[in-house]
Amino acid sequence: MTDQPPSPEHEFAEEQASLWRITLGPLIWALHFIACYAAAAVICAKLDASPPAIEAMRWSIGAGTLAALAGIGWAGRRSWTQWRDGNDDVFDDDDGSNEDRTQFLGHAALLLSIISFLGVIYTALPAFFETSCL
Amino acid sequence: MTTRANLSLPSAGRQAGPGLTSGSARERLALGPSSQLGCWWVLAPFLLTACDGPQSALSTGGADAAQLDRLFTVMLVGAVVLWLGINGLFLYATRRGGRPVSRGWAEALIIGGGIGLPVVVLTALLSYGLSIMPDQRAVGEGLRLRVTGEEFWWRVEYWPDGADAPIVAANEIRLPVGQRTEIELASTGVIHSLWLPALGGKTDMIPGRINRMSLHPTQEGLWRGQCAEFCGLSHALMALQAVAMEEGDFRDWLAREAAPAGGAGGAGAAIFAAQGCGACHAVRGTGARGAVGPDLTHLGARGSVAAGILPMTPEAIADWIRDPAAFKPGVRMPAYAHLPEDELTALADWLWSLK
């Protein structure tokens, strides 16, 4: 905490960045979802479901899933810090102060990261079990 | 507690606890005093009739249906356990306990019961469902069938291994036991869906597209199937019979089915020709080669007339020819009510004799 209150411009810029950050988890989930479904559609419908292509796709989805989970994990860790650090009333961020607002955005980002993490796993599960396009 | 005369009073609903007050009138009735409960329980056993019979997913004769039956049992048992657990907690919290718990306990319950448990249960169910999908979509071996949905009947073509022309039949599917048969699903005009609950799941038949399913009967038997996608006026009357046969019996049957009609001809055959029936229907071995309606080459050997809705008797065949729309609204076949009774009888007898 500084003695000098931050300038309104700086404060706005920081909150804007925080607002963008809460979309990071769902954004990674959406990109992962589109990539998985597009790859499956192209390989099954346009590449005649050739077994080597399916095998390559399954491994790629596996690698992409690990990358997506790492990204969401990082976003979640960051939002945990934003929510918890220096926060002595973690479930009472509704005083309307700038600090509380930032902490609330951190909390929301953490919850979104959790649901995105699960979403990515569920999106990838079919590639783990299915070995053909049938 | 006094008996409540009028069950539709809001207080009767509240009696059952919050969350249940918005139930339908029937639910509220079921929650009412025991005198009312009694008459509903009398009806309950009738629901059990759906657990058996030739068209039940709970009385299976095939590998695919058995797998779905197991899936259903797992989900039902799980749902009952969860229902009892949640309502037990609910009852405990509202009636028995009611003491405030510490913040730590409350958070553990909300995070554990609200996030942890659902994640574990959903992941397990999803993995289970996905793990049986490859079996449900397995490729058939040897024999291939093409079933085409028509309004309102089924065109059935058998393609034995290596065949270059199909053996055409209709409104009945025969499958060898202990073997997985590939079934191609086509349609003309509108969407239908082939469903033989005792053998496997259903798959839509979509115009302009070939869908596929495969069935693996595990025991001999007779099962009933039904069109499971609304397809027009007589959708509910579009059924079929499935016969699972031992492999040797099936081979013999298929050889008979591939042969031309063995009918002696005579009066019935002459009427069939004179009335122009052959413009729509084929009877192999005669001049009739129409492909608009069902192939009638071995009609008498099938289990039913008019796609599963009439018994295979000469009388039923005659009734059908006289006025098909009386049995199947919207049917394409015209009525032959102008035929004299004796000609109708002769025609029906001849068709019935085509075994």
Side-chain angles (χ1 to χ4, degrees), chain A residues 91 118 122 125 129-130 134, chain B residues 103 107 119 123 130 134 139:
Chain A
F91 288 103
L118 294 171
Y122 285 8
L125 268 180
F129 284 102
E130 315 308 332
L134 291 177
Chain B
R103 169 144 222 155
E107 274 172 28
V119 166
T123 307
L130 288 169
V139 181

Side-chain angles (χ1 to χ4, degrees), chain B residues 35-53:
Chain B
S35 61
Q36 290 282 344
L37 269 181
C39 50
W40 283 100
W41 280 112
V42 170
L43 296 175
F46 289 101
L47 296 174
L48 296 175
T49 56
C51 298
D52 204 1

Side-chain angles (χ1 to χ4, degrees), chain A residues 19-88:
Chain A
L19 265 176
W20 278 111
R21 271 202 301 277
I22 77 167
T23 66
L24 192 57
L27 188 69
I28 295 174
W29 177 16
L31 292 175
H32 175 265
F33 185 95
I34 290 171
C36 290
Y37 276 72
V42 167
I43 283 166
C44 289
K46 298 290 178 196
L47 299 182
D48 296 329
S50 85
I54 293 173
E55 207 48 31
M57 174 185 72
R58 294 178 69 214
W59 282 103
S60 311
I61 288 179
T65 300
L66 289 179
L69 292 179
I72 294 169
W74 176 80
R77 216 186 109 79
R78 224 187 128 127
S79 48
W80 171 271
T81 312
Q82 184 182 340
W83 174 36
R84 287 286 183 145
D85 270 13
N87 195 350
D88 42 17

Side-chain angles (χ1 to χ4, degrees), chain A residues 117-128:
Chain A
F117 196 88
L118 294 171
V120 165
I121 293 176
Y122 285 8
T123 307
L125 268 180
F128 184 76

Side-chain angles (χ1 to χ4, degrees), chain B residues 143-150 153-160 163 165-175 181-186 210 250 253-254 257 284 291 295:
Chain B
L143 177 73
R144 180 164 58 88
L145 255 71
R146 157 89 60 115
V147 182
T148 308
E150 307 272 354
W153 57 281
W154 315 83
R155 187 189 300 277
V156 184
E157 293 160 317
Y158 295 84
W159 292 84
I167 299 159
V168 184
N171 297 329
E172 185 173 84
I173 291 178
R174 297 210 180 209
L175 298 167
T181 301
E182 181 84 6
I183 303 177
E184 292 175 353
L185 301 168
I210 305 291
F250 178 81
W253 172 82
L254 195 62
E257 190 70 18
R284 278 173 278 131
D295 184 292

